[in-house]
Amino acid sequence: MAKFCANCGAPTRQTVPEGDDRQRDVCDACGTVHYENPKIVVGTVPEWEDKILLCKRAIEPRYGKWTLPAGFMESGETVEDGARRETWEEACARLDDVRPYALYNIAYIAQVYMMFRARLARLDFKPGEESLSVALFSEDEIPWEQIAFPVVEKTLRRFFADRKKGDYPFFMGNIERTPII
C-alpha cells in the first residue's frame, strides 16, 4: 500500500480507477495510480556431475536454512541474467548451459519464480555475502528438513524425479499456502 504518492508526495487513497476492476492506491492531487504487481524471483539449479549446489542463508527470512541460489530480478536485466547474477552473488559460482526449467506462481505472496537448470563452469565457488556456506549435495545428502522455502523443495524434488527419467521438460505450476498446524 502506498500511503503517499511517489510522484508528488501527496496522500493516496484506495479506490477503483475508471476502467479498472480492482482497488488501487490513487493520488487525488496528481491522479497517479500506484499499481502493486508481483515480484519476479530468478534462480538456478546448479549441477556438477550428480550433485546440486545449495546455499545456507545468511539473511532473513529463513536464516541458516538451505536454498538454491535465487533472488529478486533487477530492472534492466533478463531473467537469465538475473539468475546468473543471483548465483554469483550467493555462491560466487559461474555457470554454463543455462536453460529454463520451471515457473512457479506464488499468488498469495505476489511472487513468480523462474528457475533455470545450469551446469557449474568451475568448482571454485564460495559463500557470497548472503550465504553462510555453499556446498554440493547428491540427492541422498540433501538436508530436506532444512530447506528454506517450499518452492525450493518442489524444484529439487521435480529435478531429481526428472533426472531419473533422463528428461527435463519445462514445468509450470503453483505453490499454494500451507496451513500452519
Side-chain angles (χ1 to χ4, degrees):
M1 253 176 108
K3 292 184 181 201
F4 296 95
C5 180
N7 190 45
C8 74
T12 63
R13 67 182 172 88
Q14 288 259 310
T15 188
V16 178
E18 186 175 326
D20 208 331
D21 64 351
R22 63 195 72 206
Q23 284 198 339
R24 312 280 186 185
D25 295 318
V26 178
C27 178
D28 285 327
C30 72
T32 298
V33 178
H34 297 274
Y35 296 94
E36 286 189 35
N37 302 107
K39 300 279 186 190
I40 299 172
V41 178
V42 290
T44 61
V45 181
E47 302 173 65
W48 183 266
E49 296 174 353
D50 71 331
K51 297 188 178 210
I52 300 301
L53 183 71
L54 295 179
C55 305
K56 192 173 209 178
R57 293 178 60 80
I59 59 173
E60 292 293 349
R62 312 295 284 156
Y63 179 92
K65 302 290 184 180
W66 289 94
T67 189
L68 291 165
F72 293 112
M73 188 174 161
E74 298 288 348
S75 294
E77 67 185 0
T78 66
V79 288
E80 182 182 335
D81 289 343
R84 286 179 182 276
R85 175 188 50 76
E86 285 292 338
T87 303
W88 176 255
E89 287 178 0
E90 294 184 13
C92 300
R94 300 274 182 207
L95 303 171
D96 287 329
D97 197 23
V98 178
R99 297 176 186 205
Y101 181 59
L103 185 143
Y104 293 94
N105 298 294
I106 312 178
Y108 71 94
I109 57 172
Q111 292 180 359
V112 175
Y113 269 70
M114 180 69 202
M115 301 300 289
F116 292 82
R117 280 183 57 220
R119 200 173 57 245
L120 288 170
R122 299 188 300 267
L123 292 178
D124 58 349
F125 55 83
K126 63 183 181 181
E129 286 188 25
E130 297 179 1
S131 298
L132 296 170
S133 63
V134 292
L136 288 170
F137 293 91
S138 62
E139 181 177 7
D140 61 333
E141 297 170 329
I142 299 280
W144 293 107
E145 298 302 316
Q146 294 297 311
I147 297 296
F149 306 105
V151 68
V152 171
E153 181 177 348
K154 286 191 184 235
T155 300
L156 287 169
R157 292 197 187 277
R158 176 167 290 283
F159 171 82
F160 289 122
D162 287 346
R163 185 165 73 182
K164 285 179 178 128
K165 294 183 275 186
D167 185 30
Y168 301 88
F170 183 77
F171 173 78
M172 190 165 90
N174 301 315
I175 303 288
E176 303 297 335
R177 183 185 308 256
T178 340
I180 298 172
I181 299 173

